Amino acid sequence: MIPLRITAATPAVAPFVARLNAEGRAFELERTSGRTPFDLDLEIVGEGRSVYRSSSAELELRGIDAGEVDGDVVFIDPSRGIAHRLVRARSAHNTFLITERCDQLCVMCSQPPKRGHVDMFPYFEAAALLAPANMVLGISGGEPTLFKDQLLPFLDRVLTHRRDLSFHILTNAQHFEPTDLPSLARLPHDRVTWGVPLYSSDLVIHDSIVGKDGAFQKLTGGLAILAKSGATLELRTVLMSRNAADLPDLARFVTSQVPFSSSWAIMQLENIGFGRLNWNELFFDHSVQFEPVANAIDLARSRGLNVWLYNFPRCTVPEGYRHLAPATISDWKRRYPAACEECSVRDGCSGLFEWHTDDRGFQRFGTL
Ligand code: SF4
């Protein structure tokens, strides 16, 4: 698995953000911010360690090759001796975790919420401004809009200063108010996509999945505010035994009630967090029962909506629908088991989540 945290040592006491420059400077041409006070240059390499310096800071990283982190933007927490890779320069899968708090308790949540919260906005802002050119940065949680009064100005500032960057923000859309309209409308809609989960057209099923009474109603209100602001919307539905049969009805609902949605992602379950705990009850094996998914896709596409299958290994999907299943699992949590070694479509395939165990897999799976 690709490491997101690196053992680090620094004489500094306070946390700080830095961009790592190895000798090769492979990413120099792609950077848009030029040299900044946040840039540290590689000075010593050897014995499993790399030492970086600038005129005002020093950082030692252990156990990772300097070439692997060249151009990365890291957050250094001196008290814990860790450098968090906030922006990996070679990856298309960089996400800022705004908070671990959430007002919902979804039955399949891959990262169950916690009460504590640490404000990282200043560090995220510094990191975003140092990111390589044309990057799409993810925003996730917990629920990021619990801190919308910081989130919306943060997006505005970064997107104003870096006109090449884009954001994809995951939100349960429970917290938008009409008063947020001016801030939402200000954001460049071609560079901000809101990913919003909707699990069923039946409010009872949706509310039971997210563990919150009244969530469906709040969600439709939030979607209306996003629509009024002109926002770009991606709806997301995790496929589960609780909502699989309802999928065609959901396709009807989405295309008639949320027509401003630019795409709809049907997603497979992630075997971690509550998803692992409730796996036996929730997992719906589309490899042997694709019909409800196919019916939903056909209906939505016939009405002009783009539909995608996220986290669906291509070999588990009938041939006519495989082109809708891109490689969506983030690089750092993706794995390809032995069966993938000779597979002709591996490059464009999600494979499996790192933590997806073979005994809990798809009945139909294997080399194409
Ligand atoms: S065998 Fe592996 S690479 Fe090939 S389609 Fe299945 S999951 Fe993807």
Side-chain angles (χ1 to χ4, degrees):
M1 198 153 82
I2 296 169
L4 300 185
R5 296 166 171 202
I6 310 167
T7 304
T10 174
V13 176
F16 63 101
V17 166
R19 182 165 57 184
L20 307 174
N21 295 302
E23 239 171 326
R25 296 174 186 268
F27 288 87
E28 196 70 58
L29 294 176
E30 287 184 43
R31 294 175 189 156
T32 55
S33 51
R35 185 156 185 93
T36 73
F38 296 94
D39 283 291
L40 298 185
D41 294 319
L42 180 64
E43 292 205 345
I44 304 169
V45 186
E47 295 170 1
R49 69 189 194 117
S50 314
V51 178
Y52 297 81
R53 288 200 186 102
S54 71
S55 56
S56 57
E58 182 175 318
L59 173 67
E60 179 177 319
L61 297 183
R62 295 179 193 142
I64 196 152
D65 184 82
E68 209 180 307
V69 294
D70 186 21
D72 281 11
V73 184
V74 292
F75 167 73
I76 297 102
D77 183 346
S79 65
R80 298 180 66 201
I82 290 174
H84 298 263
R85 299 170 76 185
L86 293 185
V87 179
R88 287 174 297 130
R90 287 175 178 76
S91 175
H93 303 276
N94 290 296
T95 297
F96 296 158
L97 185 86
I98 298 296
T99 184
E100 294 192 85
R101 281 193 198 155
C102 190
D103 54 304
Q104 297 191 155
L105 204 58
C106 299
V107 285
M108 70 309 186
C109 182
S110 58
Q111 204 166 330
K114 294 182 184 157
R115 285 197 182 161
H117 173 72
V118 180
D119 180 3
M120 290 283 289
F121 275 108
Y123 304 113
F124 290 146
E125 185 160 342
L129 294 174
L130 294 164
N134 304 315
M135 201 166 242
V136 180
L137 296 168
I139 297 284
S140 177
E143 175 46 45
T145 62
L146 287 174
F147 298 89
K148 66 181 180 180
D149 292 344
Q150 288 160 281
L151 176 68
L152 296 176
F154 157 84
L155 293 170
D156 189 29
R157 284 193 301 274
V158 172
L159 291 166
T160 300
H161 283 95
R162 287 289 305 269
R163 295 189 177 273
D164 58 307
L165 295 182
S166 305
F167 283 98
H168 183 283
I169 305 149
L170 287 174
T171 174
N172 60 24
Q174 298 287 297
H175 306 283
F176 293 124
E177 303 290 342
T179 48
D180 296 320
L181 268 168
S183 306
L184 288 166
R186 248 180 87 85
L187 299 174
H189 304 312
D190 56 338
R191 293 196 284 137
V192 178
T193 300
W194 298 89
V196 179
L198 169 62
Y199 297 115
S200 175
S201 59
D202 180 327
L203 65 88
V204 175
I205 296 177
H206 178 88
D207 286 3
S208 78
I209 287 174
V210 303
K212 178 178 167 182
D213 288 342
F216 183 90
Q217 216 153 3
K218 268 272 186 199
L219 171 59
T220 51
L223 290 174
I225 289 168
L226 284 174
K228 268 190 206 152
S229 76
T232 302
L233 173 68
E234 174 199 67
L235 288 172
R236 296 184 149 211
T237 304
V238 176
L239 175 66
M240 289 169 281
S241 51
R242 285 199 197 179
N243 63 356
D246 180 48
L247 224 48
D249 279 345
L250 182 56
R252 250 171 243 116
F253 179 85
V254 165
T255 49
S256 60
Q257 304 298 313
V258 202
F260 51 91
S261 177
S262 58
S263 63
W264 181 28
I266 301 171
M267 305 173 65
Q268 249 304 351
L269 194 61
E270 193 171 343
N271 183 20
I272 199 162
F274 292 156
R276 176 180 292 168
L277 210 62
N278 298 322
W279 184 266
N280 291 339
E281 188 233 325
L282 299 178
F283 179 60
F284 183 84
D285 189 353
H286 67 262
S287 75
V288 289
Q289 217 183 331
F290 197 74
E291 202 183 342
V293 183
N295 291 343
I297 293 173
D298 293 347
L299 201 148
R301 281 165 58 90
S302 73
R303 296 182 178 184
L305 180 62
N306 292 318
V307 186
W308 300 102
L309 298 171
Y310 285 4
N311 317 337
F312 279 56
R314 287 199 167 184
C315 54
T316 63
V317 176
E319 197 172 350
Y321 296 90
R322 267 179 211 149
H323 64 291
L324 302 176
T328 45
I329 296 179
S330 300
D331 53 3
W332 62 272
K333 56 178 179 177
R334 181 196 307 160
R335 79 177 170 97
Y336 296 98
C340 303
E341 259 165 41
E342 301 292 321
C343 185
S344 60
V345 302
R346 179 175 158 146
D347 283 351
C349 177
S350 265
L352 297 173
F353 285 104
E354 179 72 38
W355 26 81
H356 194 113
T357 53
D358 292 341
D359 60 325
R360 290 183 148 191
F362 303 98
Q363 280 189 44
R364 288 196 189 137
F365 184 92
T367 311
L368 289 176

